[in-house]
């Protein structure tokens, strides 16, 4: 299949939203931004064998490639609008492309984000997606802003994706049902877009958990120039992780990557509004600690030998 036929068949989407003046097929796209909103952009690359195992189904690769980028928009409290895709393929495999596109488009449709352009080339399998969103002017969530006394919270459970990867790499044994659930969490993260938009009115800081809770929390602490105290009994664990010994489960939850949950700080006076949001939207939100004065220091009330910083591409 010719490159331009590939683009036309798989990546020229319709109908084109009214705010997109020009989409796929020209040298660049043209977008119209509402005057009362700000443009928020993020980009991530997923490389086979680094960000997803070689045998990962194409549907999951397409889904996850967009999900991890949507998670960045969620962390900023942004509403997803458009994205571009740069796809590097070792060869044109139409069966793989059909499934990849299906996974990509399912999540895009769910979050009403539209593909406006990109590039295709030949080489080792990698996917680069740049997402674009909008938020009301000066209302985007930032990593800075946490205040001493704020509560520290996370959405969902932590550590399942890391457990799923450990199962695939034969570093961890789980029962079949638990293993399947954890691998599903690795392949199909849930970007918390609606929660991020709601948090604009309440959170003092926010980010997503991609490289491990401790590592990402330290980034937030550095930007806010504060510290954190974590309570191990409040770290949210799934049923699968509860079946492991506590040290192993906490190690996965605190330092494992690929959770793509939101980590945020909240003044204590907003806790009641949070509980109401949690009840109405049936989402798990856990208070896992408190912001302290010890700048960039993370303490945990459990005697782990150490708290490694999480995943680092260059270590």
């Amino acid at each position: 299949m010719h490159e331009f036929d590939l683009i036309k068949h798989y990546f020229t989407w319709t109908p084109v939203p009214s705010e997109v003046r020009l989409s796929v097929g020209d040298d660049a796209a043209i977008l119209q931004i509402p005057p009362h909103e700000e443009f928020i952009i993020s980009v991530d690359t997923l490389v086979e064998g680094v960000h997803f195992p070689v045998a990962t189904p194409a549907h999951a690769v397409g889904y996850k490639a967009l999900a991890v980028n949507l998670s960045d928009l969620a962390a900023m409290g942004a509403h997803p609008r458009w994205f571009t895709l740069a796809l590097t393929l070792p060869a044109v495999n139409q069966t793989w492309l059909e499934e990849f596109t299906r996974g990509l488009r399912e999540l895009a449709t769910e979050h009403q984000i539209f593909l406006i352009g990109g590039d295709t080339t030949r080489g080792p399998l990698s996917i680069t997606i740049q997402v674009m969103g909008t938020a009301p002017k000066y209302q985007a969530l930032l990593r800075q802003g946490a205040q001493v006394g704020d509560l520290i919270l996370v959405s969902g459970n932590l550590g399942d994706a890391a457990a799923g990867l450990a199962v695939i790499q034969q570093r961890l044994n789980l029962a079949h049902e638990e293993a399947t659930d954890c691998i599903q969490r690795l392949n199909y993260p849930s970007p918390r877009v609606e929660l991020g938009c709601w948090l604009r009115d309440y959170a003092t800081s926010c980010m997503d958990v991609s490289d491990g809770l401790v590592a990402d929390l330290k980034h937030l602490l550095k930007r806010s120039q504060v510290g954190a105290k974590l309570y191990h009994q409040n770290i949210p664990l799934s049923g699968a992780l509860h079946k492991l010994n506590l040290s192993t489960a906490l190690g996965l939850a605190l330092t494992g990557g690929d959770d793509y949950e939101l980590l945020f700080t909240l003044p204590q006076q907003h806790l009641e509004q949070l509980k109401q949001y949690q009840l109405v939207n049936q989402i798990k939100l856990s208070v896992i600690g408190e912001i302290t004065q010890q700048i960039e220091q993370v303490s945990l009330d459990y005697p782990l030998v150490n708290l490694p910083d999480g995943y680092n591409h260059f270590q």
Side-chain angles (χ1 to χ4, degrees):
M1 181 180 286
H2 192 281
E3 176 186 357
F4 296 108
D5 293 330
L6 185 155
I7 292 170
K8 182 177 180 180
H9 183 75
Y10 294 105
F11 304 117
T12 303
W13 293 4
T14 56
V16 180
S18 59
E19 71 273 10
V20 179
R21 283 186 51 208
L22 192 63
S23 185
V24 177
D26 220 299
D27 290 313
I30 302 176
L31 307 172
Q32 300 178 96
I33 311 299
H36 60 283
E37 295 184 331
E38 291 182 318
F39 202 37
I40 298 173
I41 306 172
S42 181
V43 63
D44 270 305
T45 296
L46 273 68
V47 178
E48 184 180 43
V50 177
H51 299 93
F52 56 92
V54 173
T56 302
H59 183 279
V61 175
Y63 185 101
K64 184 173 183 177
L66 182 57
V68 302
N69 282 275
L70 287 174
S71 184
D72 285 330
L73 290 183
M76 302 292 291
H79 175 68
R81 303 292 292 271
W82 317 281
F83 73 102
T84 59
L85 166 69
L87 179 62
T88 302
L89 296 168
V92 175
N93 179 327
Q94 293 191 41
T95 301
W96 189 94
L97 278 166
E98 290 284 356
E99 282 300 292
F100 171 83
T101 308
R102 189 168 66 88
L104 182 73
R105 193 151 193 172
E106 280 180 11
L107 189 63
T109 300
E110 179 183 342
H111 290 281
Q112 299 182 318
I113 187 170
F114 188 78
L115 177 61
I116 59 169
D119 190 27
T120 56
T121 189
R122 183 174 181 176
L125 180 59
S126 71
I127 304 100
T128 297
I129 288 180
Q130 182 180 60
V131 286
M132 290 152 272
T134 58
K137 283 190 174 181
Y138 311 113
Q139 291 186 35
L141 295 168
L142 306 175
R143 295 182 181 186
Q144 66 188 50
Q147 302 293 316
V148 174
D150 283 353
L151 301 174
I152 304 170
L153 298 98
V154 291
S155 61
N157 292 317
L158 300 178
D160 285 348
L165 181 61
V167 168
I168 292 172
Q169 296 176 339
Q170 299 182 337
R171 297 182 287 109
L172 181 68
N173 291 318
L174 291 174
H176 177 74
E177 183 177 352
E178 284 79 15
T180 299
D181 289 344
C182 288
I183 292 171
Q184 185 78 357
R185 285 280 290 132
L186 173 68
N187 289 339
Y188 293 95
S190 300
R192 305 295 189 178
V193 172
E194 291 183 1
L195 173 62
C197 291
W198 183 83
L199 286 173
R200 287 197 306 253
D201 293 330
Y202 301 100
T204 52
S205 66
C206 187
M207 67 180 300
D208 72 334
V209 180
S210 56
D211 295 327
L213 174 65
V214 173
D216 290 321
L217 177 58
K218 286 182 177 180
H219 295 315
L220 186 150
L221 300 179
K222 184 174 183 179
R223 292 298 299 271
S224 294
Q225 286 296 284
V226 290
K229 182 177 182 180
L230 300 179
Y231 307 111
H232 81 274
Q233 72 272 16
N234 290 7
I235 303 296
L237 304 175
S238 68
L241 264 64
H242 271 299
K243 293 184 179 180
L244 301 173
N245 70 68
L246 185 57
S247 292
T248 300
L250 284 176
L252 291 166
L254 293 169
T255 65
D258 276 331
D259 288 310
Y260 297 102
E261 296 291 350
L262 290 190
L263 166 67
F264 58 98
T265 56
L266 190 80
Q268 298 198 31
Q269 64 263 32
H270 293 320
L271 193 56
E272 191 56 42
Q273 289 100 318
L274 186 90
K275 290 178 179 178
Q276 288 298 316
Y277 178 88
Q278 181 176 8
L279 183 65
V280 170
N281 293 277
Q282 295 296 294
I283 182 173
K284 186 174 184 178
L285 301 171
S286 304
V287 177
I288 62 169
E290 185 175 332
I291 294 296
T292 68
Q293 294 179 335
Q294 286 71 40
I295 295 175
E296 297 183 44
Q297 297 300 308
V298 179
S299 65
L300 176 71
D301 63 341
Y302 185 82
L304 286 174
V305 174
N306 55 44
L307 282 176
D309 282 345
Y311 187 76
N312 184 321
H313 283 282
F314 298 101
Q315 285 186 345

